[in-house]
Amino acid sequence: MRIVIQRVTQAAVEIEGATKGEIGLGLLLLAGFTSDDTEEDLKWLAGKVAALRVFSDEEGKMNLSIKDVNGDALVISQFTLYASTKKGNRPSYTNAAPPAVSIPLYERFVQLLEEALGKPVQTGEFGADMKVSLLNDGPVTIVMDTKQKDLF
């Protein structure tokens, strides 16, 4: 599993002109999955996101987690995180899990994140043409990958 985490002051996702999910202060997560992702991967990443200290404390240091600031999360599925651009100019998405595999992984990750945060998580709609808007705060943008845990 690979995610792009963006600290935001606001974020929203629209589908066909209607708002599907919306948050204020919190984290926007773009999440991609591969066929070999496991329950352990999902749990590890949900725990890391909930505990990640990327919000500023009273001294202006990034020392607080999303839980500490009572922030919200918006999770958007994004298979393009597994794009391969090694050959040619058209990305290949063969490393991304097909919908039959990735939909249950996405739903389970959202559930685990809700448990870790102790509150509901906003989402997009898997496979929909979504319009995502955000106000990146900082900017703070972090990439995490369960297959490269030793780097994170």
Side-chain angles (χ1 to χ4, degrees):
M1 181 179 174
R2 184 174 293 159
I3 60 172
V4 174
I5 303 165
Q6 294 182 297
R7 185 179 74 183
V8 298
T9 55
Q10 63 187 43
V13 59
E14 288 185 10
I15 301 169
E16 297 181 7
T19 301
K20 167 74 168 87
E22 187 172 24
I23 62 170
L25 179 69
L27 298 174
L28 169 65
L29 308 172
L30 305 175
F33 303 89
T34 63
S35 293
D36 60 347
D37 286 331
T38 66
E39 177 83 3
E40 179 183 317
D41 292 328
L42 303 177
K43 285 181 180 177
W44 179 80
L45 211 40
K48 284 295 260 189
V49 168
L52 195 63
R53 298 184 322 179
V54 295
F55 292 91
S56 298
D57 63 15
E58 59 279 345
E59 296 176 9
K61 293 184 180 183
M62 284 198 286
N63 213 17
L64 302 174
S65 72
I66 186 173
K67 292 170 70 171
D68 295 330
V69 299
N70 196 29
D72 293 311
L74 172 59
V75 182
I76 307 293
S77 62
Q78 182 135 15
F79 73 93
T80 60
L81 292 179
Y82 280 100
S84 173
T85 57
K86 275 178 100 172
K87 298 189 324 190
N89 294 318
R90 183 176 181 195
S92 167
Y93 303 107
T94 57
N95 293 330
V101 173
S102 54
I103 290 172
L105 291 170
Y106 171 73
E107 291 172 349
R108 179 66 176 145
F109 176 71
V110 169
Q111 180 184 35
L112 289 167
L113 187 57
E114 287 177 334
E115 291 171 10
L117 295 176
K119 62 172 28 177
V121 168
Q122 297 291 303
T123 64
E125 183 179 314
F126 194 95
D129 181 19
M130 296 177 275
K131 307 300 181 212
V132 180
S133 61
L134 68 137
L135 188 54
N136 191 321
D137 183 25
V140 174
T141 302
I142 297 170
V143 178
M144 297 181 78
D145 191 316
T146 58
K147 304 307 184 251
Q148 298 176 335
K149 291 179 187 174
D150 58 328
L151 299 177
F152 302 104

